[in-house]
Amino acid sequence: MITKLDSSQADFKQRLDTLLAFEASTDDAIESAVSGILADVKKRGDAAVLEYTNRFDRLPNGGATSMAALDVSQEELQAALAAIPEAQRKALEVAAQRVRAFHERQKQELNGFTYTEADGTVLGQRVTPLDRVGIYVPGGKAAYPSSVLMNAIPAHVAGVEEIIMVVPTPDGVKNQMVFAAAAIAGVTRVITIGGAQAVAALAHGTLTIQAVDKIVGPGNAYVAAAKRRVFGVVGIDMIAGPSEILIVCDGTTDPDWVAMDLFSQAEHDELAQAILLCPDADYIARVEASIARLLPTMPRQDVIRTSLGDRGALIKVRDMDEACAIANSIAAEHLEISAVDPQQWADKIRHAGAMFLGRFSSESLGDYCCGPNHVLPTSRTARFSSPLGVYDFQKRSSIIHVSEAGAQTLGKVAAELAYGEGLQAHARSAELRLK
Amino acid sequence: MITKLDSSQADFKQRLDTLLAFEASTDDAIESAVSGILADVKKRGDAAVLEYTNRFDRLPNGGATSMAALDVSQEELQAALAAIPEAQRKALEVAAQRVRAFHERQKQELNGFTYTEADGTVLGQRVTPLDRVGIYVPGGKAAYPSSVLMNAIPAHVAGVEEIIMVVPTPDGVKNQMVFAAAAIAGVTRVITIGGAQAVAALAHGTLTIQAVDKIVGPGNAYVAAAKRRVFGVVGIDMIAGPSEILIVCDGTTDPDWVAMDLFSQAEHDELAQAILLCPDADYIARVEASIARLLPTMPRQDVIRTSLGDRGALIKVRDMDEACAIANSIAAEHLEISAVDPQQWADKIRHAGAMFLGRFSSESLGDYCCGPNHVLPTSRTARFSSPLGVYDFQKRSSIIHVSEAGAQTLGKVAAELAYGEGLQAHARSAELRLK
C-alpha cells in the first residue's frame, strides 16, 4: 500500500518529485466568498461579524445578540482550567513551562545593538515587540490546545501586550481544554468567532475589536484565503501546507517505533506526508511489516492508510550520506534522524524545520512539550523560512544618529551617488549639511 | 499647495487617516498578463524567457538568440567598475564597506544556541544561510546602484553562496553603475532579464537558471504581481508601497534643511509621502516659505510638486509628545527626529522602519551610505516588519535531541495531551519510548 522507491532507479528523481509535488489549489468559490465577507466586515463591522458567526457556527437559541456575548471572560478561562482533569492540566502546565523556557532563549538572542564610530556617529538596531496580535484557533474537531500554547507563548515572551485569540464554537460547543490552554498561555482576550469574518475583524478592526498588527495560527481554506488577502494590512505567519515527516534511519531503531512515527504524521490528515529514507533494504521490509501489523490497531487507521498510500514512501538509499543529500532537497518540516551518533548526519543537514536527533526524539514529543515550536515551515519552505518564534512577534528599527563631523564625510559620498542616480534633492539634502 | 493640518482640529484624525490611506489597487489586466507569463515560463523555460525578453525589452539587432547572450560575465562587471568615474567608484566602495560593516553586526547577533537539560536532553536552534537567492534590479530610469548594494550585501554577509541578479536592459542599454555595484557587492551571476519572466525563471528554474530559494528587490507592478504569485514556492521580501518620510521637528533646525528633506522623499515619485509634524506654527510657516523658494530650483520639481500637493502635509501638533504619539500611529518608513536631544523623543517611538536622529541625520545619508539598509517597511507595515537584513537571508531550524531519561518524562506529558486531542498515534509514538 505504501510506495517503495530506490534511489538507484533511473527515474528516481522524477518519481520523488512527483511524490513531493503539492500545489495548494485556489478555489474560486472560496475566494469569492471570502472576498465578500472581508468587504462586508470592513464596511459594517460588528453587525456583519455577528451575522456571519450566528449563521456559519449555527449558534444555538437563536444565536448571539451582541458582540459582548461572544467574549469569554478571564473567569470562564480560569474555570475551564479548574474543570479539566488534573492530569491534563498538569500536562498543559509542564508543556507551557517548557515552551516558555525555550522561547526565552530566543528572546535573549535578539537584543538589538548600537555602536559609535570615531566621529561620534551612532548606528544601531532596536528590537521592539508588536503592540497587538491575533491568534486564530480552529474550532470543532481540529481544536488543539497545544496550538494555543505554541502560538500564544512566543507572543507573550516577545512582550506583546494584547494577545487576542479567536476560536469559533460550532453549534455553541466550547472546548474546555482550549480555554484552559489560553488561561495558561497569557492570552489577554478570547472571542468565540472564526472563519474569514474573524480574520476580517482582527485585520480591519470593528467597534468592539481593535485592529491587530499580525494574525497567526492555522485555519481551514476560508481562513487561509482571508489571511492571504489581508496580508500587508497586517502581518501573517506562513500559510501552512499539509504536515510532513521525513525519517532518516540507519536501521538500528526498533521498526515499530519508526512505523508509529510515520503514523503520527499520517494521522493528521489524508494529505499529510510520511517518508522513510534508509540504506538497509531488510530494515525497510521490517518497517513495512510493522506498519501492516500496527495499522489495524490505530483508531485513525483510515486516515493513516490513505495518507501513507497516497503520499507516503519507504525509500532505499545508497548510504546515509545520500539520505542527508535527499533530506536537504526535501527540506522537510519534521526531520527525524533515527541513528547511532545522529549528530554526524545532522551536521550535513542544511534545510529542515525541526530536527529530531536520536531514536528517543520522536516528533510527537516535539509536537507537545520539548519546548521548540511545533509551527514549522512545510512544503519545502524550510529552504527559506523558520519555525514560529519570538522573532515573529518582534520587529527591528534602524537607528541612525549622524554627528556633525560624520555628516561631512558621509554627505559627500551620498551626494556623489545621488547625482549618479539622478536624485538631486537627495544630493542637496546631504550637501546642505556640509560646512 | 501642501496640505496644512492642526491636531487640535475636531476632524484631525479623520483627515490624517484620509491622507495616509493608500491601497495598492490590483489591476486585472496586469494580473492576467503576469499569470500567463508565469505559466508559460514554467512550461517552456528558457525559450519563453528569451521571447519575452526580446519583446518587452526591445533588444536591438533582432534580439538575443540564446540565454548565454543574456549573461553578463564577471569580466564585464569588473570592466564597468573600471570604466565609471573614479569619484563614483570610490563612493560606491565606501558605501559598500559601510553597509557591509553594519550588516556584519546583524550577523553577529544571530548565532543560534543549544542548551543541555539535567537529564541530558539537548535543545537548540541552528541558524543557516539560504542556498541561492535572486535579486531583482529594475532597469531603465529607476536603475539604482545603491539598491544593488542594499539587497546583495546582506545576502553576501549571511553566507548565501549564489546571488543571482536579474536586471532588464530596455533597448539593450546597460547601466554601468549598476554593473559596477554588482561587482562590489558580491553578486555571483548577472542576467539581463526582467519583468514577470525573470521572476518566473528565478522561482521555477529553467535549463540555464537554477531555481532560487528567495527573491528580493523592487520592481514595477508586473514584478510585484509576479512576486506575490510565486510566494510560497520561494520566499519574497515585502511588496513595497510608495516611499514615505515623516519629520518630527522641534523648530530648531534650519527650515531649508527640512524642506529639502521633504523634497528628497517627494522626488521619488508622485505617490511618495512627505509629512512634517511640529509644535511651532511660525516654524511651519518658515518651512513652507523654504519649500516655495527652493522648489523652482529642483530638477524634479514637477514630481515633487505633485507628491507634496497630493500626499504631503505640514501638521501643527500640541507638543513633541503628541508628535511622537502620531508618529507611532503612522509607523513611517523613514522617521527623522530633527530636534535638540533627539534621544528623548526616540525613546517614545515604537514603530518606524528607520529613525534618523538629530539634524545632521538626513534620510539621504541613510539611503546611500550610513550602513543600515534602505529597504524598509512602508505603508504602516513597520508595525510588524523590519528593514531588509542579514536575517532575511538566514533561516532557523530547531534542534531536539531527547535523552532516554528525557523521553520518560516528556513521553508521559506528550501522551496525555495527544490523547486529549484525539491523536492516538502521537500518543503511542511517545509511549513506545517509555521503559
Side-chain angles (χ1 to χ4, degrees), chain A residues 23 42 87-88 91-92 94-95 98 101-102 105-106 109-113 115 117 123-126 128 130-131 144-146 177 212-213 231-235 256-257 260-261 263-264 267-268 297-300 342-343 346-347 349-362 364-370 372 381-387 391 395-404 407 410-411 413-414 416-418 420-426 428-430 432-433, chain B residues 23 42 87-88 91-92 94-95 98 101-102 105-106 109-113 115 117 123-126 128 130-131 144-146 177 212-213 228 232-235 256-257 260-261 263-264 267-268 297-300 342-343 346-347 349-362 364-370 372 381-387 391 395-404 407 410-411 413-414 416-418 420-426 428-430 432-433:
Chain A
E23 206 146 340
K42 193 173 174 184
Q88 270 188 6
L92 276 178
V94 169
R98 294 186 58 88
F102 182 85
R105 300 273 177 155
Q106 286 185 335
E109 199 180 32
L110 208 59
N111 291 311
F113 56 83
Y115 58 98
E117 301 191 308
L123 300 172
Q125 184 166 285
R126 184 194 285 183
T128 44
L130 277 58
D131 282 350
Y144 294 143
S146 59
M177 211 170 158
V212 302
D213 300 306
F231 174 55
V233 178
V234 295
D256 280 4
W257 295 16
M260 194 59 74
D261 292 359
F263 289 178
S264 75
E267 77 174 339
H268 271 297
T297 72
M298 302 311 302
R300 296 172 69 86
Q343 192 61 49
D347 290 344
I349 298 298
R350 294 195 313 283
H351 311 300
M355 286 190 254
F356 298 80
L357 309 186
R359 70 183 60 141
F360 288 99
S361 306
S362 70
S364 59
L365 300 182
D367 285 344
Y368 290 106
C369 58
C370 287
T381 59
R383 290 174 298 130
F384 55 84
S385 55
S386 303
Y391 36 81
K395 59 338 190 250
R396 303 164 175 94
S397 301
S398 302
I399 308 286
I400 297 174
H401 193 160
V402 179
S403 67
E404 183 170 359
L410 295 176
V413 175
E416 179 69 36
L417 294 172
E421 292 185 351
L423 295 175
Q424 299 88 357
H426 283 69
R428 292 285 302 281
S429 165
L432 284 176
R433 270 85 175 175
Chain B
E23 206 145 341
K42 193 173 174 185
Q88 272 189 4
L92 276 178
V94 170
R98 293 186 58 88
F102 182 85
R105 299 272 177 154
Q106 285 184 336
E109 200 180 30
L110 209 60
N111 291 312
F113 56 83
Y115 58 98
E117 302 190 310
L123 300 172
Q125 184 167 284
R126 184 193 284 184
T128 44
L130 277 58
D131 282 350
Y144 294 143
S146 58
M177 212 170 157
V212 302
D213 300 306
R228 261 189 197 277
V233 178
V234 295
D256 280 4
W257 295 16
M260 194 58 74
D261 291 359
F263 289 178
S264 76
E267 76 174 339
H268 272 297
T297 71
M298 302 312 301
R300 296 172 69 86
Q343 193 60 50
D347 290 345
I349 298 298
R350 295 196 312 283
H351 311 301
M355 287 191 252
F356 298 80
L357 309 185
R359 71 183 59 140
F360 288 99
S361 306
S362 70
S364 59
L365 300 182
D367 285 343
Y368 290 107
C369 58
C370 286
T381 59
R383 291 175 296 128
F384 55 83
S385 55
S386 303
Y391 36 82
K395 49 3 184 235
R396 303 164 175 94
S397 301
S398 302
I399 308 287
I400 297 174
H401 192 161
V402 179
S403 67
E404 183 169 1
L410 295 175
V413 175
E416 178 70 36
L417 294 171
E421 293 185 351
L423 295 175
Q424 299 88 358
H426 282 68
R428 290 284 303 279
S429 164
L432 283 177
R433 269 85 175 176

Side-chain angles (χ1 to χ4, degrees), chain B residues 14-31:
Chain B
Q14 193 185 322
R15 292 177 68 169
L16 181 63
D17 285 347
T18 305
L19 187 76
L20 297 174
F22 178 81
E23 206 145 341
S25 56
T26 51
D27 181 314
D28 286 344
I30 291 178
E31 289 295 330

Side-chain angles (χ1 to χ4, degrees), chain A residues 212-235:
Chain A
V212 302
D213 300 306
K214 187 165 190 168
I215 302 174
V216 300
N220 63 18
Y222 290 86
V223 173
K227 279 170 66 183
R228 262 187 195 277
R229 280 171 179 265
V230 297
F231 174 55
V233 178
V234 295

Side-chain angles (χ1 to χ4, degrees), chain A residues 6-82:
Chain A
D6 188 314
S7 66
S8 66
Q9 288 162 324
D11 59 351
F12 170 69
K13 192 175 172 328
Q14 194 186 323
R15 293 177 69 171
L16 182 63
D17 285 348
T18 306
L19 186 77
L20 298 174
F22 178 81
E23 206 146 340
S25 56
T26 51
D27 181 315
D28 286 344
I30 290 178
E31 288 295 329
S32 154
V34 165
S35 164
I37 294 169
L38 291 178
D40 196 22
V41 170
K42 193 173 174 184
K43 190 172 157 201
R44 295 197 299 128
D46 286 334
V49 175
L50 205 53
E51 279 174 34
Y52 289 119
T53 300
N54 283 327
R55 189 193 320 163
F56 295 142
D57 293 341
R58 304 168 304 277
L59 295 190
N61 308 319
T65 54
S66 74
M67 287 300 289
L70 298 174
D71 252 83
V72 182
S73 67
Q74 290 292 332
E75 290 70 34
E76 192 170 348
L77 300 182
Q78 291 297 332
L81 186 58

